[in-house]
Amino acid sequence: MFKTKKQKEFEKYKKIIEESRLFDNRYYLRAYGDVRRASETPIDHFIKIGLKEDRKPNAEFDPVWYKHYYKDIQTNNEFPFIHYIVHGQKEFRFSNPANIQEYEALKATFDANTYKNSYEDLQNLSDDFDFLWHYLHYGQKEGRACPVKEETANTKEIEIKTVTQVSSDELSEEQKYEYHIIHTENIDFSEYFTLNQHPFVSEDPILDYIINWKKYDPVIANYFDTSFYFIAYPDVQSVGINPLVHYISAGKVEGRKGVFDNSKIQQGSLKHDATKETVVFVSHESSASGAPLLGYNIVNILKQKYNIVHIVLEKKNIHDAFLNICEEMLVDIKDNVWMQSYIYLKQLLKKRTIKCIIANSVVTNDLTSVAKELSIPSVLLVHEFSDYIKPKGTMANSVLLADKVIVPAKIIRNSIQDEFVTLFNSKTVPANIFIQPQGKLPFIPQGHGKNETADAILKKLHVTQKETTKIIVGSGWVQPRKGVDLFIATAKYIKQHYDASCKFVWVGDGFDPEVDLAYSVWLQKEIEHSRLDDDFIFLQHQKNLDTIFSIADVFCLTSRMDPFPNVVIDALEHNLHIACFKDASGSVEFLEEHKASCTVVDYIDTYAMAAELIQYFQSNTPKTDINKKLVKEHLDFDQYVSYIDNLMNEAIVFEKNVDAITNYLLQNNLFDLSYYDHTAGNIEKACHIYVSASLKGIRMKNPKPGFNDLLWIENYAENNPYIVPVFEAHKQGILKTHTSHQLPIEKTTKINFFYAVHLHLYYIDLAQEFASYFKNLPGKFDILLSVVKEEDIQKAEDVFGHCGANSVKVMLVENIGRDSGPLYFGFKEVILSNKYEVIGHFHTKKSLDVNDGIGDKWREYLLNTLVGDKDIAHSIMSLFSLNKKLGLVFPDDPHVVDIGENKEYVDKLCEMLQIESLNDTPLFPVGNMFWARTESIKQLFSLNPDDVLEEEPLPYDGSYMHAIERITPTLVNSNGFEYNTVYRKGIVW
């Protein structure tokens, strides 16, 4: 097909940019609004428009600066970004002015020889190579160390002395411009040297700021806070310009703020006591409702021992009471919790040490992240089921970040565990979760709600003789979760089947049929149809429930989900019989365990609840004080607060242990950031999270290539999940759990064996993508294609006919057995008769049930690792040539994946294949793409398809196809072969 010059140029630039991997789709979308509205992809938009307009392709590269700094680009009329990719990197050119500043600052101390010799991929480079340039452009992001020459490593005084000789005459042109802008603003720098504690480079505060703003986040009193500005305005940080200059020249005009809004800080009634430690307590609101009231009472006791700084996300009806029990408060920050609390606490840390942050409710989960960022120990109090906390993953992430977590009952812990299983396939109960019910609240602040008298309530209920009337009470905000409709349904059945008088009271705000058309209007209708008009009333929120409980006979907890509400404890305190649904509340565990006076029925079975209560009323069981005794013996609030206090101390010890292990891993190069999480940016923080999660038994990713945490735990740790495996292994002198090769390998060889590559081409639209990879395969090979539609046969032959294969065979197969069925059964005769020494197995993976394009990223990762370019493909095949006992090669995926829901299928497969049974499968080709020596997996071709093929659609997990994927390495070993994994630096998903 004829292509215009413009089309050829477009394709040329696209190929250059894609191969460079320097274009950042997310950054480009975020930085330019018109791109988000455009119909074309970000990279296509950049090539057509962005290049000409000198738009930034990523956060690092500044095209305007680049072409002005390097005059030869203007002379040759080249696009800066294209020049940088093709020529600039080879010539060690810089991508922005900050690179030059950092380069100059490190030039005198950077030890290039140590840097080169520390990393295998750098050791073959010549000494002329600019290793400092490599460190600044790649090494930093990959988590590589910055070695310092021995003569400068411990010479802080010399370093400072040298730097303090900097004068304004030595500034670059850009820095001189910055100096001019700041100087003309007439800023008051009088407190600059008092407020900041970094090593100063000049007695001139403007000069010091210009040199030091990147390293130390200087503060200018009442005018500008560097850290705040970057956190508040990440677009400024991504550009890499002097933030103070930006604020002066543009930020103020745009309405941006230079310092934190101190109007959010309120002074409490208590004074700071220098003899006490400081604890930060976080409440989602200052209201007279469940979790906030619990928090109020916790603080009211802790204030006797600690200085209390309170963070309240939203001001509510008893706010003054909250202010009265703290020294200082940050309030009304729900519009941007993370940023405002981070800056506030960072400033607070400059004045004092914070012992711990207590986050009360998962709604305050941002503070667990802030605590982790600022290295402050944290305790999280969870009062919610994970089921109704959105977005999914919020609960799991909060538990992951918090040092210690308290839940009121096992059912809440199990709810959290279910989320870990769903999101991370992690079945281990996190070691940082502790079960402790909260206890009876000792104090309710004045000021919200009022108590109606008993006589007034009885009058509303038309009760003249209380002795002959049963009163049943429910409580909570009128909403579906609290089950007001279930309470009404229970009332209806009792009314219909109980001969004596009975009345029903729901206490709580929110019932408004005139306004609330989503719930209240239907409740009103249900009451009318149930003929409960004269027997059912709603009472507005009461200051406390003492009055209503004094005349009640039963408290009915009809919540669909309610972890361990305070009202149940209040009801126990009043010795009321309690009715509730099984699996709806943590209260049930407590009531049943301690044999309370209670009625427990199946989940939301209102008829059963009504029948049981009628039986209870008719039995005339003598009332005892058992429920009241339970409160005294097991729900003491002082003990609950003491439990929290002890956990704060444990959180501190835990953090110190995490710090120590983190330092050990980093010092011994046992943690590879580019492998673990290339997006993390900071290797210390990423490693800290890995260690913290490992000690909690939470496994998401492995720490480095060649080391699989689950494999180590299974083989060496007696299945103890609460350890840092790579730390324990290194102490025993063990550096790896399996052999893993970085690609491309150094030593390759001629490929002199005949092999085949099988592709299950379910999605024909991906044919061209796979063909572009298969063109890189070396030696003599056949391509075996399985398709499920007859019309795809010709297209498959056409697309793959130009890949350099010896032959292309296309087979029409049924849509059964996923990608494994066509390989082991469809192509069985072809593979065995042609005596292929090695078989490659691929499939057009999309994972449509996974969001955010993960399926595409996963497929690209597998292809880039198992085929990649010609060097990678040759390396893979060379591994088989060089090691005749090598039976299987698959990607060293950092994600932790275990046997999942496949134990039953794995057991049956092991029996069929006559190999040892497996407890777990910690290391296998995740995604089921691999290269295998045919002899090493021969039994799979002998399986009876009738035994293992199951009708589509298969479940997300739990099938013979998932089991075959998992047992492959074990099968290879049982046949006397080895398996190896492979990885590429920077290739992740």
Side-chain angles (χ1 to χ4, degrees):
M1 184 180 73
F2 174 76
K3 294 181 181 178
T4 65
K5 180 181 178 183
K6 193 172 183 180
Q7 288 173 321
K8 290 179 181 178
E9 187 178 68
F10 175 87
E11 291 178 0
K12 171 189 169 186
Y13 288 153
K14 188 168 185 177
K15 186 172 186 294
I16 290 171
I17 293 170
E18 284 182 334
E19 289 180 352
S20 76
R21 302 180 70 85
L22 292 177
F23 183 77
D24 188 335
N25 279 283
R26 291 184 179 178
Y27 172 85
Y28 195 68
L29 277 169
R30 190 171 61 245
Y32 303 106
D34 61 323
V35 181
R36 295 192 292 272
R37 296 186 293 271
S39 58
E40 55 203 343
T41 64
I43 191 169
D44 287 354
H45 183 282
F46 176 73
I47 295 167
K48 293 176 183 177
I49 299 172
L51 280 173
K52 298 172 187 174
E53 296 182 356
D54 285 334
R55 298 197 187 194
K56 294 184 65 173
N58 55 49
E60 294 287 326
F61 188 79
D62 185 339
V64 175
W65 175 85
Y66 189 83
K67 71 181 182 183
H68 283 96
Y69 190 80
Y70 299 109
K71 306 296 184 185
D72 56 319
I73 297 172
Q74 297 181 45
T75 305
N76 298 328
N77 200 26
E78 295 180 80
F79 290 125
F81 189 51
I82 300 297
H83 180 277
Y84 178 73
I85 295 171
V86 178
H87 306 291
Q89 294 182 98
K90 297 175 186 175
E91 298 166 0
F92 307 121
R93 301 198 186 198
F94 297 96
S95 58
N96 60 62
N99 284 160
I100 296 180
Q101 293 177 19
E102 198 167 1
Y103 187 94
E104 293 299 323
L106 290 173
K107 188 165 62 176
T109 60
F110 183 77
D111 190 335
N113 286 331
T114 300
Y115 185 73
K116 172 184 176 180
N117 294 324
S118 296
Y119 303 101
E120 290 181 8
D121 57 324
L122 301 179
Q123 288 171 7
N124 292 330
L125 298 175
S126 70
D127 291 336
D128 294 334
F129 185 84
D130 193 331
F131 291 97
L132 176 53
W133 183 92
H134 181 278
Y135 169 73
L136 293 174
H137 286 78
Y138 298 104
Q140 273 183 322
K141 298 169 189 172
E142 294 169 0
R144 304 194 192 207
C146 178
V148 179
K149 292 178 182 176
E150 288 186 13
E151 62 268 24
T152 61
N154 296 304
T155 54
K156 186 175 180 181
E157 291 182 8
I158 296 174
E159 180 185 338
I160 294 174
K161 182 179 177 182
T162 302
V163 177
T164 53
Q165 293 177 2
V166 173
S167 69
S168 57
D169 294 332
E170 299 174 73
L171 297 178
S172 66
E173 290 303 314
E174 183 177 359
Q175 289 174 322
K176 288 178 180 178
Y177 170 76
E178 292 174 0
Y179 192 100
H180 171 73
I181 293 293
I182 298 171
H183 185 265
T184 54
E185 186 69 4
N186 293 320
I187 301 168
D188 182 2
F189 279 96
S190 59
E191 296 181 43
Y192 183 83
F193 295 106
T194 304
L195 278 177
N196 298 289
Q197 300 172 357
H198 61 259
F200 301 114
V201 300
S202 171
E203 294 180 0
D204 181 344
I206 299 177
L207 183 57
D208 182 83
Y209 185 92
I210 290 171
I211 300 296
N212 274 327
W213 67 264
K214 279 193 173 181
K215 292 182 180 179
Y216 303 110
D217 294 336
V219 175
I220 304 169
N222 302 317
Y223 185 81
F224 193 78
D225 183 326
T226 306
S227 176
F228 164 81
Y229 202 69
F230 276 156
I231 295 166
Y233 311 111
D235 59 316
V236 178
Q237 186 172 28
S238 68
V239 176
I241 64 174
N242 185 313
L244 178 56
V245 172
H246 180 275
Y247 174 65
I248 295 168
S249 57
K252 287 200 293 184
V253 177
E254 295 168 358
R256 306 193 193 216
K257 295 180 179 179
V259 291
F260 184 72
D261 182 3
N262 285 324
S263 67
K264 300 283 186 183
I265 302 173
Q266 297 181 344
Q267 295 306 309
S269 298
L270 304 182
K271 300 297 182 185
H272 178 71
D273 185 341
T275 65
K276 294 180 180 179
E277 295 176 292
T278 295
V279 169
V280 175
F281 195 90
V282 190
S283 297
H284 72 278
E285 61 184 34
S286 49
S287 68
S289 57
L293 274 183
L294 173 66
Y296 175 92
N297 280 272
I298 293 170
V299 170
N300 203 34
I301 294 175
L302 287 179
K303 68 179 173 57
Q304 300 169 28
K305 184 176 180 181
Y306 300 107
N307 292 306
I308 301 293
V309 172
H310 210 141
I311 296 178
V312 176
L313 310 191
E314 186 174 9
K315 184 178 180 180
K316 283 294 181 75
N317 47 38
I318 58 168
H319 188 72
D320 287 345
F322 278 68
L323 268 177
N324 287 337
I325 57 172
C326 69
E327 172 196 344
E328 187 172 285
M329 181 183 288
L330 177 66
V331 68
D332 276 339
I333 60 168
K334 67 173 186 174
D335 56 324
N336 197 335
V337 176
W338 198 96
M339 185 269 286
Q340 296 188 81
S341 58
Y342 173 83
I343 294 166
Y344 171 73
L345 291 174
K346 191 171 182 180
Q347 292 175 342
L348 189 65
L349 283 169
K350 292 180 179 179
K351 305 179 209 174
R352 66 177 89 168
T353 300
I354 296 173
K355 175 174 182 170
C356 189
I357 291 177
I358 304 174
N360 182 32
S361 164
V362 76
V363 181
T364 67
N365 70 88
D366 277 335
L367 270 297
T368 60
S369 172
V370 171
K372 185 63 68 178
E373 188 72 19
L374 294 173
S375 300
I376 304 172
S378 63
V379 174
L380 173 66
L381 312 180
V382 174
H383 316 294
E384 301 90 354
F385 284 89
S386 64
D387 308 64
Y388 56 77
I389 298 299
K390 305 299 178 184
K392 195 75 171 174
T394 299
M395 183 72 81
N397 189 58
S398 302
V399 172
L400 173 66
L401 294 175
D403 295 313
K404 302 295 175 182
V405 179
I406 300 177
V407 298
K410 289 180 184 176
I411 193 172
I412 310 304
R413 186 190 66 187
N414 295 344
S415 166
I416 296 171
Q417 183 57 34
D418 286 345
E419 184 161 289
F420 273 101
V421 171
T422 300
L423 295 177
F424 309 119
N425 197 35
S426 176
K427 300 180 184 69
T428 303
V429 176
N432 62 326
I433 300 180
F434 299 84
I435 299 171
Q436 182 67 35
Q438 62 263 31
K440 164 71 177 171
L441 300 187
F443 181 69
I444 305 296
Q446 299 291 321
H448 179 62
K450 62 179 182 178
N451 279 1
E452 296 203 35
T453 65
D455 289 341
I457 296 171
L458 292 172
K459 186 175 181 181
K460 285 185 177 183
L461 289 168
H462 310 294
V463 174
T464 55
Q465 292 184 320
K466 172 61 186 80
E467 299 79 12
T468 59
T469 301
K470 300 297 183 185
I471 296 178
I472 303 168
V473 177
S475 177
W477 184 268
V478 176
Q479 57 164 296
R481 183 173 69 84
K482 291 293 184 180
V484 188
D485 55 315
L486 302 177
F487 183 77
I488 296 170
T490 303
K492 173 185 175 181
Y493 292 135
I494 293 175
K495 188 67 179 174
Q496 288 174 347
H497 300 286
Y498 182 55
D499 295 333
S501 174
C502 53
K503 302 290 182 177
F504 307 90
V505 182
W506 187 273
V507 184
D509 291 338
F511 180 69
D512 190 349
E514 298 299 321
V515 176
D516 176 20
L517 303 183
Y519 195 47
S520 295
V521 68
W522 308 114
L523 296 178
Q524 182 66 49
K525 199 72 173 174
E526 189 176 351
I527 291 170
E528 292 171 4
H529 277 275
S530 301
R531 298 182 180 179
L532 291 170
D533 306 68
D534 295 330
D535 302 301
F536 191 110
I537 64 170
F538 283 94
L539 284 183
Q540 288 187 328
H541 177 84
Q542 304 288 290
K543 187 171 68 176
N544 59 57
L545 296 173
D546 291 345
T547 304
I548 184 64
F549 279 172
S550 71
I551 59 173
D553 296 281
V554 170
F555 175 71
C556 204
L557 181 68
T558 54
S559 298
R560 289 176 165 85
M561 284 186 179
D562 219 338
F564 203 122
N566 293 325
V567 66
V568 172
I569 302 173
D570 293 335
L572 287 169
E573 174 76 15
H574 283 81
N575 222 32
L576 291 180
H577 184 82
I578 297 174
C580 49
F581 297 126
K582 190 177 294 183
D583 299 325
S585 171
S587 312
V588 175
E589 295 169 26
F590 181 86
L591 297 174
E592 291 186 322
E593 180 184 348
H594 297 289
K595 297 179 171 53
S597 173
C598 64
T599 292
V600 179
V601 300
D602 287 344
Y603 187 70
I604 64 173
D605 189 342
T606 54
Y607 186 84
M609 181 174 281
E612 291 283 339
L613 287 177
I614 290 171
Q615 187 177 352
Y616 169 73
F617 293 148
Q618 292 174 339
S619 68
N620 293 316
T621 304
K623 196 170 185 178
T624 67
D625 61 353
I626 182 172
N627 285 1
K628 189 170 185 176
K629 281 184 178 179
L630 290 179
V631 175
K632 184 176 182 180
E633 293 172 4
H634 301 286
L635 296 171
D636 181 87
F637 197 79
D638 285 340
Q639 290 181 8
Y640 176 68
V641 177
S642 178
Y643 191 87
I644 295 173
D645 198 358
N646 289 334
L647 270 192
M648 284 197 288
N649 293 325
E650 289 184 25
I652 293 169
V653 173
F654 178 79
E655 274 295 314
K656 288 180 179 177
N657 190 27
V658 172
D659 288 342
I661 297 176
T662 298
N663 291 335
Y664 183 96
L665 298 190
L666 294 177
Q667 288 169 7
N668 290 282
N669 293 320
L670 299 175
F671 184 81
D672 187 332
L673 182 64
S674 66
Y675 172 79
Y676 179 82
D677 184 359
H678 70 292
T679 65
N682 186 306
I683 189 171
E684 288 83 7
K685 287 192 172 103
C687 188
H688 191 280
I689 289 174
Y690 162 73
V691 172
S692 176
S694 296
L695 292 173
K696 296 169 188 172
I698 301 170
R699 313 246 164 247
M700 296 181 292
K701 289 186 178 181
N702 294 305
K704 64 170 189 166
F707 197 96
N708 182 282
D709 280 359
L710 290 183
L711 194 58
W712 169 266
I713 290 170
E714 183 179 55
N715 292 335
Y716 299 98
E718 299 180 346
N719 288 313
N720 173 18
Y722 305 112
I723 60 170
V724 183
V726 71
F727 172 65
E728 301 296 335
H730 192 265
K731 288 194 297 181
Q732 297 176 34
I734 301 173
L735 302 180
K736 64 181 183 179
T737 57
H738 59 281
T739 299
S740 188
H741 303 277
Q742 181 176 343
L743 299 176
I745 63 173
E746 292 182 10
K747 181 182 178 182
T748 58
T749 184
K750 185 177 180 180
I751 311 305
N752 52 19
F753 57 83
F754 188 29
Y755 65 97
V757 54
H758 168 248
L759 169 64
H760 182 52
L761 193 55
Y762 183 83
Y763 295 107
I764 192 67
D765 59 303
L766 294 177
Q768 194 63 56
E769 178 182 332
F770 277 80
S772 68
Y773 282 94
F774 290 174
K775 287 177 182 178
N776 296 323
L777 292 171
K780 184 181 178 183
F781 65 95
D782 285 347
I783 294 178
L784 311 179
L785 304 171
S786 50
V787 297
V788 296
K789 296 177 183 177
E790 190 170 353
E791 58 265 32
D792 292 341
I793 295 176
Q794 188 59 52
K795 184 171 183 180
E797 291 177 344
D798 293 343
V799 172
F800 289 90
H802 306 287
C803 291
N806 179 63
S807 69
V808 177
K809 299 178 176 68
V810 183
M811 180 180 292
L812 183 65
V813 298
E814 291 184 67
N815 182 27
I816 188 170
R818 290 286 174 97
D819 54 283
S820 295
L823 171 65
Y824 298 121
F825 308 124
F827 275 107
K828 172 182 176 179
E829 298 303 327
V830 174
I831 291 171
L832 297 181
S833 63
N834 280 278
K835 297 182 179 179
Y836 299 117
E837 187 162 341
V838 170
I839 294 289
H841 175 59
F842 297 85
H843 55 100
T844 50
K845 188 171 199 62
K846 278 193 177 181
S847 293
L848 299 178
D849 53 341
V850 181
N851 296 325
D852 300 328
I854 293 298
D856 292 338
K857 294 174 184 175
W858 194 2
R859 183 183 70 251
E860 291 167 8
Y861 160 75
L862 293 168
L863 279 170
N864 276 309
T865 305
L866 287 172
V867 184
D869 56 26
K870 291 185 183 297
D871 287 341
I872 301 301
H874 196 182
S875 291
I876 295 281
M877 292 300 112
S878 293
L879 291 174
F880 285 99
S881 288
L882 294 167
N883 182 2
K884 298 303 180 183
K885 298 305 290 180
L886 179 60
L888 180 67
V889 171
F890 56 93
D892 201 331
D893 193 315
H895 297 84
V896 173
V897 186
D898 63 7
I899 201 166
E901 301 300 319
N902 302 285
K903 183 69 169 73
E904 173 190 351
Y905 300 96
V906 166
D907 288 344
K908 291 177 181 177
L909 268 178
C910 288
E911 187 177 340
M912 294 177 197
L913 298 169
Q914 297 183 341
I915 60 177
E916 63 178 307
S917 61
L918 302 171
N919 293 321
D920 205 346
T921 54
L923 184 60
F924 62 92
V926 180
N928 206 33
M929 297 192 200
F930 56 83
W931 292 98
R933 201 175 295 274
T934 312
E935 182 69 13
S936 75
I937 58 170
K938 58 186 178 182
Q939 293 96 320
L940 293 176
F941 294 96
S942 301
L943 288 171
N944 185 342
D946 293 335
D947 291 338
V948 297
L949 292 183
E950 302 160 279
E951 290 295 328
E952 295 284 348
L954 292 181
Y956 181 75
D957 196 16
S959 73
Y960 278 113
M961 297 303 105
H962 292 99
I964 288 174
E965 179 182 13
R966 283 164 168 77
I967 59 94
T968 308
T970 301
L971 177 62
V972 167
N973 283 160
S974 72
N975 286 325
F977 291 91
E978 306 166 5
Y979 64 80
N980 289 176
T981 61
V982 290
Y983 70 98
R984 293 178 63 186
K985 204 80 172 177
I987 301 297
V988 291
W989 66 278

